[in-house]
Structure formats: C-alpha cells, structure tokens
Amino acid sequence: MPFFLGLDAGTTSMKAALFDLSGRMLAVAREEYALDTPRPAWVECDAEVYWSACCRVVRRVVAEAGIPAADVATIAISSQAETLV
C-alpha cells in the first residue's frame, strides 16, 4: 500500500508527517535546530543541520507508523523563505 510523506523545513524545526491513501495521518515528528547568528542581522543554518534533522524525522514517522520505507510513494516538501538547500 502506498503512503504519502510531508516534510516542512521551517525556521527552527524540521517536521514530517505520514499519511495513508485516505488522508489519515499515521505519524508525525518534529525536531528543532539552532540557527547561527555570526553577525547582527545575519542568520545562517548549515545545510547538514537540515539534512540530518530531515533524515531523523523521516525515520521516526516510518518507524512509528510501522510501514516499510519502500512503501512511501510520494514526498511533498515545503520550506520557509530561502530554505531550498
């Protein structure tokens, strides 16, 4: 059975949610991360921070739902501002 994964790369956290074909949410996970502020009015976040958080929340929702990862058929991604890394 195919499942749908939604990811949101936000300003301060990465979120993942897993849904079945009927749109029922099976699992949700969130992981916060810190932003770097090297200078006044500057905000940065290393791409590896986003990627690592993404991998962890995806693993958590797949495990919580108890489905094979190969059954994730579709991934939708949203992000804030320029978080298109």
Side-chain angles (χ1 to χ4, degrees):
M1 169 190 274
F3 296 92
F4 307 106
L5 176 66
L7 295 171
D8 177 48
T11 302
T12 59
S13 67
M14 180 72 65
K15 283 83 66 185
L18 191 66
F19 301 88
D20 66 13
L21 284 175
S22 67
R24 183 173 59 102
M25 188 167 55
L26 304 174
V28 64
R30 178 175 183 255
E31 182 170 319
E32 292 185 5
Y33 35 74
L35 300 174
D36 297 323
T37 52
R39 295 182 182 173
W42 283 29
V43 178
E44 300 175 351
C45 191
D46 188 307
E48 185 60 36
V49 171
Y50 289 115
W51 177 246
S52 297
C54 180
C55 291
R56 286 190 292 271
V57 294
V58 168
R59 286 186 192 112
R60 285 203 303 262
V61 294
V62 168
E64 184 180 325
I67 67 158
D71 285 353
V72 174
T74 303
I75 300 173
I77 303 170
S78 68
S79 68
Q80 58 81 28
E82 291 79 30
T83 311
L84 300 174
V85 177

